[in-house]
Amino acid sequence: MSPVLVVLDLMGIFVFAISGALVAVRKELDVFGVLVLAGTTGLGGGFLRDVLIGATPPAALEDWRYLLVPVVAGLVTFWYHPTVGRLERQVGVLDAFGLALFCVVGALKSVEYGLGPLPAALMGMVSAIGGGMVRDLLAGRVPAVFRSELYATPALAGAAIAVLLDRLDQPYAVSALLGASVCLAWRLLAMWRHWQAPMPSGPASV
Amino acid sequence: MSPVLVVLDLMGIFVFAISGALVAVRKELDVFGVLVLAGTTGLGGGFLRDVLIGATPPAALEDWRYLLVPVVAGLVTFWYHPTVGRLERQVGVLDAFGLALFCVVGALKSVEYGLGPLPAALMGMVSAIGGGMVRDLLAGRVPAVFRSELYATPALAGAAIAVLLDRLDQPYAVSALLGASVCLAWRLLAMWRHWQAPMPSGPASV
Amino acid sequence: MSPVLVVLDLMGIFVFAISGALVAVRKELDVFGVLVLAGTTGLGGGFLRDVLIGATPPAALEDWRYLLVPVVAGLVTFWYHPTVGRLERQVGVLDAFGLALFCVVGALKSVEYGLGPLPAALMGMVSAIGGGMVRDLLAGRVPAVFRSELYATPALAGAAIAVLLDRLDQPYAVSALLGASVCLAWRLLAMWRHWQAPMPSGPASV
């Protein structure tokens, strides 16, 4: 991976890890719980993707920086959680950058491992939203991605665009940048305008 | 895989996916939650099995039909959930067919990947019940398989019979058909007569 | 693996499985739920580790004794749960032995599979605490390890010491024994003195 990509990747992990640590603080978990939720939120999506596409051990287990970053994010949140919590809106914007980055990087990695376009786009989405889903499972709540403003759809769209451009023999940077831009713009708009995915209409039969 | 088996497999995934989508509608998740629960319920058992036996990437990631089927099941349930919900008893019968199919196919695949008879039978059961367990985890409820009418036992029995017959050099079709029949008959009887697995007797010490 | 190690390993799995089965009995799950929680608690940590380091299929799927032990533990707990429940303090002491054993064995196995010292120590901790986390997820509660007396920290410390000694070319037995002793002593002290990991200070912002 190019150094630019590594730095971006680590920044995405950092932001995701903060969101995990904040959930842990609010659930009144101890420092260890904070660190585990920081780690699984930051790295969980990539782990899921790598286990499913057969790229084990996951990259994060071969590079100590990938383990250090969530620890730092967890400790910062543990110590300064009132401040971090107040900055949640800003963290949400950074989280959108992480989402955009992870979906394209995850999708293009899956293509490299031989997946077809549709599964690769799906794995891109899994990379981007998987960490948050594991976070919510461990914290004992229904994954936020099932109920909140549009989150998974922009990730899937960004991943699909990146895969498509890659199929059309565009260079990595172009595919990644265009895919990530669409995901980012869509996600930020969804946050700003409170767009939600459609709900089932009418009462559910029991 | 023979075309017959693929069609059966896709039908099993469709039925499982519907049960996942119904849970999502009742939990008031949005359309994305409905699709994810449809997908994980339909494909989760096979994913778990493939990751554990080292058959990555899972077959479903290499064949777009396996991804399309849960999406269709999810959308149908999302739009017509009152009708689908009213048909739940019939869906339950189809689900028993899916259970019977998945347990033998999963077990025989595990044998192919070099597992011994006991673990292969277990992996057959995991293929059959794993999707429903992931569904319940994501929906934030204790897996139904731990409390409802007999569900896992017929799957384990069917898988064990298929593995045993395979050990005795019976052809695939014979092993699979006999195993699946036992699982199916047992499961349908359990639904009809409300058979339940034994509960611990007496109050639990705390 | 040396026969001594196998026996110790099976004993650790037995004790972990009992803790899983006890949770299931208290959640009023049926006998199948008791067996699944026994199995996932006993074997889940090793499964997680093996899937992440790419050592599939997990060892437990290649040796029937590893499958038999949790079944026996589950059935014993199912039938004699009032007695087993009353012995929980003693089970907790045995559990500390299991924790100490699993963290060093898991860490040294990860080293063998090519992981660096930091990820290997982490995988040792995952081997030791992963089963209990899966147990709590399936039972629908926030993992006990996030809230109870120190549990993960001693496991991480033991794993780190074992990895460090292994790096210094100490024989397996020495690395394992020293790592395990530190983990065991620390965990027993934590139980005895009710040591807890630090909690976030002040109220969480919402």
Side-chain angles (χ1 to χ4, degrees), chain C residues 25-117:
Chain C
V25 167
R26 282 166 191 165
K27 281 271 173 180
E28 299 183 2
L29 305 185
D30 62 29
V31 66
F32 173 73
V34 173
L35 289 176
V36 169
L37 283 202
T40 48
T41 315
L43 305 173
F47 274 36
L48 264 178
R49 176 202 60 215
D50 287 346
V51 163
L52 284 172
I53 67 176
T56 50
L61 290 183
E62 310 218 290
D63 183 339
W64 60 271
R65 293 171 299 181
Y66 281 78
L67 297 178
L68 184 65
V69 162
V71 169
V72 172
L75 290 178
V76 166
T77 309
F78 180 76
W79 283 318
Y80 305 111
H81 63 87
T83 312
V84 176
R86 246 176 287 121
L87 295 173
E88 198 163 28
R89 216 187 140 67
Q90 289 86 329
V91 171
V93 173
L94 292 175
D95 184 277
F97 279 90
L99 189 79
L101 178 74
F102 279 32
C103 72
V104 295
V105 171
L108 294 174
K109 178 168 185 181
S110 303
V111 169
E112 255 176 68
Y113 272 79
L115 264 62

Side-chain angles (χ1 to χ4, degrees), chain A residues 20-103:
Chain A
L22 269 181
V23 169
V25 168
R26 283 167 190 165
K27 282 271 172 179
E28 300 182 3
L29 305 186
D30 61 29
V31 67
F32 172 74
V34 173
L35 289 175
V36 168
L37 282 202
T40 50
T41 314
L43 304 173
F47 274 36
L48 263 179
R49 176 201 61 216
D50 287 346
V51 164
L52 284 173
I53 67 175
T56 50
L61 290 183
E62 310 219 289
D63 183 340
W64 60 271
R65 293 171 300 180
Y66 282 79
L67 297 178
L68 183 66
V69 162
V71 169
V72 172
L75 290 179
V76 166
T77 310
F78 180 76
W79 283 317
Y80 304 110
H81 64 87
T83 311
V84 176
R86 247 178 286 123
L87 296 173
E88 197 163 30
R89 215 186 141 66
Q90 289 87 328
V91 171
V93 172
L94 292 176
D95 183 277
F97 279 90
L99 189 78
L101 178 74
F102 279 32
C103 72

Side-chain angles (χ1 to χ4, degrees), chain B residues 142-161:
Chain B
V142 172
V145 68
F146 292 166
R147 280 177 171 159
S148 66
E149 291 141 358
L150 284 186
Y151 192 86
T153 318
L156 184 59
I161 288 169

Side-chain angles (χ1 to χ4, degrees), chain A residues 97-193:
Chain A
F97 279 90
L99 189 78
L101 178 74
F102 279 32
C103 72
V104 295
V105 172
L108 294 173
K109 178 167 185 182
S110 303
V111 169
E112 253 177 68
Y113 273 78
L115 263 62
L118 186 60
L122 202 70
M123 284 299 107
M125 185 187 76
V126 166
S127 314
I129 72 171
M133 288 179 69
V134 176
R135 169 199 70 206
D136 291 338
L137 277 185
L138 288 174
R141 55 183 214 179
V142 172
V145 68
F146 292 166
R147 280 177 172 160
S148 65
E149 290 141 358
L150 284 186
Y151 193 85
T153 318
L156 184 59
I161 288 169
V163 169
L164 207 74
L165 290 170
D166 182 76
R167 280 286 264 209
L168 300 171
D169 287 322
Q170 298 303 307
Y172 190 100
V174 172
S175 311
L177 218 64
L178 268 172
S181 305
V182 170
C183 171
L184 179 65
W186 195 351
R187 171 65 185 150
L188 289 178
L189 272 170
M191 288 170 67
W192 180 40
R193 311 295 301 248

Side-chain angles (χ1 to χ4, degrees), chain B residues 9 18-19 24 38 40 52 58 78 83 109 124 128 132 140-141 156 165 167-168 170 179-180 182 190 201 206:
Chain B
D9 210 18
I18 281 185
S19 91
T40 48
L52 284 173
F78 180 76
T83 312
K109 179 169 185 180
R141 55 183 215 180
L156 184 59
L165 289 170
R167 281 286 265 210
L168 300 171
Q170 297 303 307
V182 169
S201 61
V206 185

Side-chain angles (χ1 to χ4, degrees), chain C residues 110-183:
Chain C
S110 303
V111 169
E112 255 176 68
Y113 272 79
L115 264 62
L118 185 61
L122 203 70
M123 285 300 107
M125 185 188 76
V126 166
S127 314
I129 73 171
M133 289 179 68
V134 176
R135 170 199 68 207
D136 291 338
L137 277 186
L138 288 173
R141 55 183 215 180
V142 171
V145 67
F146 292 166
R147 281 178 172 159
S148 65
E149 290 141 358
L150 284 187
Y151 191 86
T153 318
L156 184 58
I161 288 168
V163 169
L164 208 75
L165 290 171
D166 181 77
R167 281 284 265 211
L168 301 172
D169 287 321
Q170 297 303 307
Y172 189 101
V174 172
S175 311
L177 218 64
L178 267 173
S181 305
V182 169
C183 171

